[in-house]
Amino acid sequence: MIRISCTAAFGVRQASLLIFAFQDRHPGIGIDLSLTDERVDLVREGVDIALRLGPLTDSAMKLRALGRSRRLLVASPAYLAARGRPAAPRDLARHEGIRMSNIQGSDLLELRGPDGARHAVAFGGRIRVDHGLAAREALAAGRGIAPAHHWLVEDLLADGRLEAILPEYALPAVPLSMLIVPERAGIARVRLLVEFLAAGIAAIPGIERPER
């Protein structure tokens, strides 16, 4: 058995599929997958591997950078038909934003324009959520505009249920990392899963490979 802790939305949308494929290849290895956006104590919780989005501070763990998760602004066609399409970053101030309540600074969007100029825009709205899957549902239901990870909404973009907003303006990408408990890193089944996940995650649309 290998115990994995994973950022919740990423675990549901991406990591779980990789784990299924891993077990198809290695049917004798069990997986215990815990989905949480909390920063758990891996040793105390008996976790072998953690997949995390965002900056990390736990220097006691073995860290493997997996890349950076690209984000984009999106909204549904119905929302845009009712409220109009923003033509410039400043237009976002008059729109409904879907914010993440568990991410510090979600009331301010930082965008980089095609000329390299940076734009900081106040971002508010009537709904806040603490889970990426709830934000996905709110977007699909036409509740507003939100910055979303590409891997979270790629299917909704492909079938036209969501559209990219201000695509020429870039949002900062978010680090994606794997933490491994040092005492568990040398175990053969853990090493197998670490390499499998690293290769699979590198192929996910919107994941930029880490700089060497």
Side-chain angles (χ1 to χ4, degrees):
M1 183 68 70
I2 303 173
R3 294 200 66 195
I4 306 171
S5 176
C6 184
T7 299
F10 186 78
V12 172
R13 294 288 303 162
Q14 302 294 337
S16 60
L17 302 179
L18 292 174
I19 289 168
F20 303 154
F22 175 80
Q23 287 191 306
D24 288 343
R25 186 176 297 185
H26 303 283
I29 298 178
I31 301 291
D32 183 337
L33 176 61
S34 173
L35 301 177
T36 177
D37 292 330
E38 300 295 327
R39 294 295 193 256
V40 300
D41 185 314
L42 304 189
V43 174
R44 186 175 62 200
E45 299 296 328
V47 173
D48 301 305
I49 300 168
L51 297 172
R52 291 287 177 256
L53 278 166
L56 297 175
T57 58
D58 192 342
S59 59
M61 298 296 110
K62 185 176 180 181
L63 173 65
R64 180 162 178 169
L66 299 175
R68 298 178 70 82
S69 179
R70 185 165 55 84
R71 299 182 300 154
L72 66 167
L73 286 171
V74 294
S76 73
Y79 174 84
L80 295 173
R83 297 290 300 268
R85 180 182 294 271
R90 63 178 178 272
D91 296 338
L92 294 169
R94 60 179 176 81
H95 279 270
E96 285 288 335
I98 301 166
R99 289 176 47 202
M100 298 296 294
S101 58
N102 58 342
I103 295 179
Q104 187 175 7
S106 65
D107 57 346
L108 187 71
L109 285 181
E110 294 187 8
L111 301 156
R112 187 178 71 252
D115 58 355
R118 296 188 177 273
H119 305 262
V121 183
F123 191 65
R126 294 176 297 162
I127 185 167
R128 296 194 304 165
V129 299
D130 66 356
H131 199 296
L133 294 180
R136 173 186 158 95
E137 291 301 315
L139 282 163
R143 309 310 298 177
I145 294 173
H149 293 278
H150 190 278
W151 51 260
L152 182 65
V153 296
E154 83 282 1
D155 58 326
L156 302 181
L157 289 166
D159 66 17
R161 284 184 285 169
L162 291 181
E163 298 179 14
I165 306 301
L166 301 173
E168 66 275 24
Y169 290 86
L171 290 159
V174 179
L176 176 60
S177 308
M178 184 186 302
L179 294 171
I180 310 160
V181 175
E183 293 78 10
R184 308 290 287 174
I187 298 173
R189 63 182 180 274
V190 174
R191 291 202 312 269
L192 279 173
L193 182 56
V194 165
E195 295 306 321
F196 189 92
L197 289 174
I201 288 170
I204 294 173
I207 300 296
E208 303 167 350
R209 290 179 177 269
E211 297 180 359
R212 299 294 183 183

